[in-house]
Amino acid sequence: LPACSSATSWRAPWRSDGMKAADVIAEQDLLAALPKPIAIVSARLDVCFANQAFSELFRRRGEDCEALTEAVRSSPTLNNALTRAVSKLRTVGWTSDCRWSPAADDGRVFDVHVTRARLDTYVAVFDEISQHLKIEEIQSRARGYLEAVLNHLKLGVIVLDADFNTTFFNKDQAALFKRLGVEKSIFEIIGNPISETYPILTPEEWASIYSRVLRTGEMVTWAKLPYPRSNPVSYFLVNFVPLAAEEDRLPGAICITDDVTRTVGLEHELIRKERMALVGQMTIAHNPEINNPLTAILGIAQSLPFSQNLAPP
């Protein structure tokens, strides 16, 4: 690719005084062949060299340095961004980053990396991040939607990473932490081992769950888990679900807790009533076997005083 019309007066910022002109041309050709937009400017933002990709940012076909200089200066956003970046570079080798959008309705966004190459020479490399920002926006919306869904579930949800550290918990889980006496802030819970936060399992039980869920990919269910163990006042149904594997490694798991205290209480009451009903049924079933002999004995006893053969006492 041809160099700028004024590039003949430009000396490569990294060349020594004895460097041959052929080497300078070779380096210019190397920069020109790079796919990312690259420009070399002075402190006054005079364009000394630019490749075709940089020219295309301003819809130019050639690398006319004077025209490109005018284009840079006529773009307030780029001019301000480069001016701020250049002002921070006080010595050779320093690098400063800034962000630039060509136009309000263009949709493109660039991260600009500016490096001071000589006392009055700066290399600006433009890295387009438009697609990356769109993906981030989509992921952010999806994340917000999922968090809203999880926060509306009437279940405690904890998302764990591959080391069983907490990365997220929903509102119901936060209420459950508070009810169990976990007096920790979100900053003390997020990023720390779940075994140090959630007291429904012992450290040994957490280690066993970790091994079963993340090492074998097994879904583990703990039904009617009493808390506290010695004198339970609550019962929980806890499910540990491994996340989908990535590159033969499970990235983490989800801990889902359902408070089944009321259900367990109703079950106990139902069992008590069933036992009482069973006793009643047994009483009815055995009633003839007990009452008939007693009735016979009572009848005989009542008829004895009237018997003529009974000797007087």
PDB file of all heavy atoms in Angstrom, residues 154-172:
ATOM      1  N   LYS A 154     -40.267 -18.569  44.322  1.00  0.00           N
ATOM      2  CA  LYS A 154     -40.467 -18.759  45.752  1.00  0.00           C
ATOM      3  C   LYS A 154     -39.570 -19.881  46.255  1.00  0.00           C
ATOM      4  O   LYS A 154     -39.977 -20.778  46.992  1.00  0.00           O
ATOM      5  CB  LYS A 154     -41.942 -19.067  46.039  1.00  0.00           C
ATOM      6  CG  LYS A 154     -42.874 -17.931  45.657  1.00  0.00           C
ATOM      7  CD  LYS A 154     -42.485 -16.629  46.364  1.00  0.00           C
ATOM      8  CE  LYS A 154     -43.397 -15.485  45.976  1.00  0.00           C
ATOM      9  NZ  LYS A 154     -43.003 -14.205  46.620  1.00  0.00           N
ATOM     10  N   LEU A 155     -38.337 -19.815  45.873  1.00  0.00           N
ATOM     11  CA  LEU A 155     -37.318 -20.786  46.252  1.00  0.00           C
ATOM     12  C   LEU A 155     -36.016 -20.054  46.500  1.00  0.00           C
ATOM     13  O   LEU A 155     -35.750 -19.016  45.892  1.00  0.00           O
ATOM     14  CB  LEU A 155     -37.098 -21.828  45.143  1.00  0.00           C
ATOM     15  CG  LEU A 155     -38.279 -22.700  44.731  1.00  0.00           C
ATOM     16  CD1 LEU A 155     -37.952 -23.427  43.427  1.00  0.00           C
ATOM     17  CD2 LEU A 155     -38.608 -23.708  45.820  1.00  0.00           C
ATOM     18  N   GLY A 156     -35.197 -20.583  47.383  1.00  0.00           N
ATOM     19  CA  GLY A 156     -33.865 -20.031  47.564  1.00  0.00           C
ATOM     20  C   GLY A 156     -32.934 -20.571  46.496  1.00  0.00           C
ATOM     21  O   GLY A 156     -32.859 -21.787  46.292  1.00  0.00           O
ATOM     22  N   VAL A 157     -32.252 -19.692  45.792  1.00  0.00           N
ATOM     23  CA  VAL A 157     -31.368 -20.106  44.699  1.00  0.00           C
ATOM     24  C   VAL A 157     -29.977 -19.527  44.933  1.00  0.00           C
ATOM     25  O   VAL A 157     -29.825 -18.324  45.149  1.00  0.00           O
ATOM     26  CB  VAL A 157     -31.897 -19.643  43.328  1.00  0.00           C
ATOM     27  CG1 VAL A 157     -30.937 -20.054  42.213  1.00  0.00           C
ATOM     28  CG2 VAL A 157     -33.283 -20.215  43.068  1.00  0.00           C
ATOM     29  N   ILE A 158     -28.975 -20.400  44.895  1.00  0.00           N
ATOM     30  CA  ILE A 158     -27.574 -19.988  45.006  1.00  0.00           C
ATOM     31  C   ILE A 158     -26.833 -20.556  43.808  1.00  0.00           C
ATOM     32  O   ILE A 158     -26.926 -21.752  43.521  1.00  0.00           O
ATOM     33  CB  ILE A 158     -26.914 -20.506  46.299  1.00  0.00           C
ATOM     34  CG1 ILE A 158     -27.732 -20.136  47.527  1.00  0.00           C
ATOM     35  CG2 ILE A 158     -25.499 -19.962  46.433  1.00  0.00           C
ATOM     36  CD1 ILE A 158     -27.200 -20.736  48.820  1.00  0.00           C
ATOM     37  N   VAL A 159     -26.091 -19.704  43.088  1.00  0.00           N
ATOM     38  CA  VAL A 159     -25.269 -20.153  41.965  1.00  0.00           C
ATOM     39  C   VAL A 159     -23.833 -20.270  42.463  1.00  0.00           C
ATOM     40  O   VAL A 159     -23.281 -19.329  43.034  1.00  0.00           O
ATOM     41  CB  VAL A 159     -25.353 -19.174  40.779  1.00  0.00           C
ATOM     42  CG1 VAL A 159     -24.504 -19.683  39.620  1.00  0.00           C
ATOM     43  CG2 VAL A 159     -26.808 -19.000  40.336  1.00  0.00           C
ATOM     44  N   LEU A 160     -23.245 -21.444  42.249  1.00  0.00           N
ATOM     45  CA  LEU A 160     -21.906 -21.746  42.745  1.00  0.00           C
ATOM     46  C   LEU A 160     -20.954 -21.954  41.583  1.00  0.00           C
ATOM     47  O   LEU A 160     -21.334 -22.476  40.527  1.00  0.00           O
ATOM     48  CB  LEU A 160     -21.932 -23.015  43.607  1.00  0.00           C
ATOM     49  CG  LEU A 160     -22.933 -23.015  44.769  1.00  0.00           C
ATOM     50  CD1 LEU A 160     -23.032 -24.402  45.373  1.00  0.00           C
ATOM     51  CD2 LEU A 160     -22.528 -21.996  45.814  1.00  0.00           C
ATOM     52  N   ASP A 161     -19.689 -21.540  41.760  1.00  0.00           N
ATOM     53  CA  ASP A 161     -18.691 -21.775  40.722  1.00  0.00           C
ATOM     54  C   ASP A 161     -18.052 -23.143  40.916  1.00  0.00           C
ATOM     55  O   ASP A 161     -18.493 -23.944  41.748  1.00  0.00           O
ATOM     56  CB  ASP A 161     -17.649 -20.645  40.707  1.00  0.00           C
ATOM     57  CG  ASP A 161     -16.831 -20.589  41.999  1.00  0.00           C
ATOM     58  OD1 ASP A 161     -16.874 -21.549  42.794  1.00  0.00           O
ATOM     59  OD2 ASP A 161     -16.152 -19.566  42.209  1.00  0.00           O
ATOM     60  N   ALA A 162     -16.990 -23.412  40.157  1.00  0.00           N
ATOM     61  CA  ALA A 162     -16.361 -24.731  40.187  1.00  0.00           C
ATOM     62  C   ALA A 162     -15.685 -25.038  41.516  1.00  0.00           C
ATOM     63  O   ALA A 162     -15.359 -26.194  41.787  1.00  0.00           O
ATOM     64  CB  ALA A 162     -15.342 -24.847  39.048  1.00  0.00           C
ATOM     65  N   ASP A 163     -15.454 -24.027  42.344  1.00  0.00           N
ATOM     66  CA  ASP A 163     -14.869 -24.239  43.668  1.00  0.00           C
ATOM     67  C   ASP A 163     -15.901 -24.169  44.775  1.00  0.00           C
ATOM     68  O   ASP A 163     -15.562 -24.118  45.958  1.00  0.00           O
ATOM     69  CB  ASP A 163     -13.768 -23.200  43.919  1.00  0.00           C
ATOM     70  CG  ASP A 163     -12.611 -23.334  42.940  1.00  0.00           C
ATOM     71  OD1 ASP A 163     -12.216 -24.480  42.664  1.00  0.00           O
ATOM     72  OD2 ASP A 163     -12.120 -22.297  42.445  1.00  0.00           O
ATOM     73  N   PHE A 164     -17.183 -24.141  44.384  1.00  0.00           N
ATOM     74  CA  PHE A 164     -18.296 -24.020  45.325  1.00  0.00           C
ATOM     75  C   PHE A 164     -18.232 -22.696  46.078  1.00  0.00           C
ATOM     76  O   PHE A 164     -18.598 -22.621  47.253  1.00  0.00           O
ATOM     77  CB  PHE A 164     -18.329 -25.207  46.285  1.00  0.00           C
ATOM     78  CG  PHE A 164     -19.424 -26.199  45.929  1.00  0.00           C
ATOM     79  CD1 PHE A 164     -19.684 -26.495  44.599  1.00  0.00           C
ATOM     80  CD2 PHE A 164     -20.182 -26.827  46.899  1.00  0.00           C
ATOM     81  CE1 PHE A 164     -20.667 -27.406  44.251  1.00  0.00           C
ATOM     82  CE2 PHE A 164     -21.182 -27.729  46.560  1.00  0.00           C
ATOM     83  CZ  PHE A 164     -21.421 -28.022  45.238  1.00  0.00           C
ATOM     84  N   ASN A 165     -17.782 -21.648  45.386  1.00  0.00           N
ATOM     85  CA  ASN A 165     -17.884 -20.294  45.914  1.00  0.00           C
ATOM     86  C   ASN A 165     -19.169 -19.666  45.386  1.00  0.00           C
ATOM     87  O   ASN A 165     -19.561 -19.901  44.244  1.00  0.00           O
ATOM     88  CB  ASN A 165     -16.685 -19.446  45.486  1.00  0.00           C
ATOM     89  CG  ASN A 165     -15.384 -19.948  46.070  1.00  0.00           C
ATOM     90  OD1 ASN A 165     -15.345 -20.435  47.197  1.00  0.00           O
ATOM     91  ND2 ASN A 165     -14.317 -19.846  45.308  1.00  0.00           N
ATOM     92  N   THR A 166     -19.821 -18.862  46.198  1.00  0.00           N
ATOM     93  CA  THR A 166     -21.084 -18.246  45.816  1.00  0.00           C
ATOM     94  C   THR A 166     -20.849 -17.134  44.798  1.00  0.00           C
ATOM     95  O   THR A 166     -20.015 -16.260  45.005  1.00  0.00           O
ATOM     96  CB  THR A 166     -21.791 -17.664  47.048  1.00  0.00           C
ATOM     97  OG1 THR A 166     -21.984 -18.697  48.014  1.00  0.00           O
ATOM     98  CG2 THR A 166     -23.138 -17.064  46.676  1.00  0.00           C
ATOM     99  N   THR A 167     -21.584 -17.180  43.692  1.00  0.00           N
ATOM    100  CA  THR A 167     -21.494 -16.127  42.681  1.00  0.00           C
ATOM    101  C   THR A 167     -22.794 -15.328  42.561  1.00  0.00           C
ATOM    102  O   THR A 167     -22.784 -14.222  42.027  1.00  0.00           O
ATOM    103  CB  THR A 167     -21.155 -16.717  41.306  1.00  0.00           C
ATOM    104  OG1 THR A 167     -22.200 -17.624  40.911  1.00  0.00           O
ATOM    105  CG2 THR A 167     -19.835 -17.484  41.347  1.00  0.00           C
ATOM    106  N   PHE A 168     -23.899 -15.900  43.070  1.00  0.00           N
ATOM    107  CA  PHE A 168     -25.194 -15.198  43.009  1.00  0.00           C
ATOM    108  C   PHE A 168     -26.160 -15.879  43.962  1.00  0.00           C
ATOM    109  O   PHE A 168     -26.098 -17.095  44.172  1.00  0.00           O
ATOM    110  CB  PHE A 168     -25.767 -15.230  41.588  1.00  0.00           C
ATOM    111  CG  PHE A 168     -27.187 -14.718  41.489  1.00  0.00           C
ATOM    112  CD1 PHE A 168     -27.435 -13.356  41.402  1.00  0.00           C
ATOM    113  CD2 PHE A 168     -28.265 -15.596  41.511  1.00  0.00           C
ATOM    114  CE1 PHE A 168     -28.743 -12.879  41.325  1.00  0.00           C
ATOM    115  CE2 PHE A 168     -29.569 -15.126  41.431  1.00  0.00           C
ATOM    116  CZ  PHE A 168     -29.805 -13.762  41.337  1.00  0.00           C
ATOM    117  N   PHE A 169     -27.054 -15.087  44.569  1.00  0.00           N
ATOM    118  CA  PHE A 169     -28.183 -15.653  45.304  1.00  0.00           C
ATOM    119  C   PHE A 169     -29.360 -14.707  45.166  1.00  0.00           C
ATOM    120  O   PHE A 169     -29.192 -13.495  45.057  1.00  0.00           O
ATOM    121  CB  PHE A 169     -27.841 -15.920  46.774  1.00  0.00           C
ATOM    122  CG  PHE A 169     -27.404 -14.713  47.557  1.00  0.00           C
ATOM    123  CD1 PHE A 169     -28.324 -13.942  48.253  1.00  0.00           C
ATOM    124  CD2 PHE A 169     -26.066 -14.349  47.607  1.00  0.00           C
ATOM    125  CE1 PHE A 169     -27.914 -12.838  48.981  1.00  0.00           C
ATOM    126  CE2 PHE A 169     -25.653 -13.245  48.332  1.00  0.00           C
ATOM    127  CZ  PHE A 169     -26.586 -12.481  49.023  1.00  0.00           C
ATOM    128  N   ASN A 170     -30.573 -15.279  45.150  1.00  0.00           N
ATOM    129  CA  ASN A 170     -31.756 -14.459  44.897  1.00  0.00           C
ATOM    130  C   ASN A 170     -32.353 -13.930  46.209  1.00  0.00           C
ATOM    131  O   ASN A 170     -31.833 -14.167  47.305  1.00  0.00           O
ATOM    132  CB  ASN A 170     -32.789 -15.252  44.097  1.00  0.00           C
ATOM    133  CG  ASN A 170     -33.377 -16.403  44.892  1.00  0.00           C
ATOM    134  OD1 ASN A 170     -32.892 -16.760  45.955  1.00  0.00           O
ATOM    135  ND2 ASN A 170     -34.433 -17.004  44.365  1.00  0.00           N
ATOM    136  N   LYS A 171     -33.471 -13.223  46.089  1.00  0.00           N
ATOM    137  CA  LYS A 171     -34.069 -12.556  47.246  1.00  0.00           C
ATOM    138  C   LYS A 171     -34.554 -13.545  48.295  1.00  0.00           C
ATOM    139  O   LYS A 171     -34.400 -13.316  49.496  1.00  0.00           O
ATOM    140  CB  LYS A 171     -35.230 -11.660  46.788  1.00  0.00           C
ATOM    141  CG  LYS A 171     -34.797 -10.436  46.012  1.00  0.00           C
ATOM    142  CD  LYS A 171     -35.998  -9.582  45.633  1.00  0.00           C
ATOM    143  CE  LYS A 171     -35.562  -8.333  44.881  1.00  0.00           C
ATOM    144  NZ  LYS A 171     -36.737  -7.498  44.486  1.00  0.00           N
ATOM    145  N   ASP A 172     -35.170 -14.649  47.848  1.00  0.00           N
ATOM    146  CA  ASP A 172     -35.659 -15.626  48.811  1.00  0.00           C
ATOM    147  C   ASP A 172     -34.516 -16.268  49.586  1.00  0.00           C
ATOM    148  O   ASP A 172     -34.647 -16.565  50.782  1.00  0.00           O
ATOM    149  CB  ASP A 172     -36.469 -16.708  48.083  1.00  0.00           C
ATOM    150  CG  ASP A 172     -37.934 -16.328  47.954  1.00  0.00           C
ATOM    151  OD1 ASP A 172     -38.194 -15.242  47.395  1.00  0.00           O
ATOM    152  OD2 ASP A 172     -38.800 -17.082  48.415  1.00  0.00           O
TER     153      ASP A 172
END
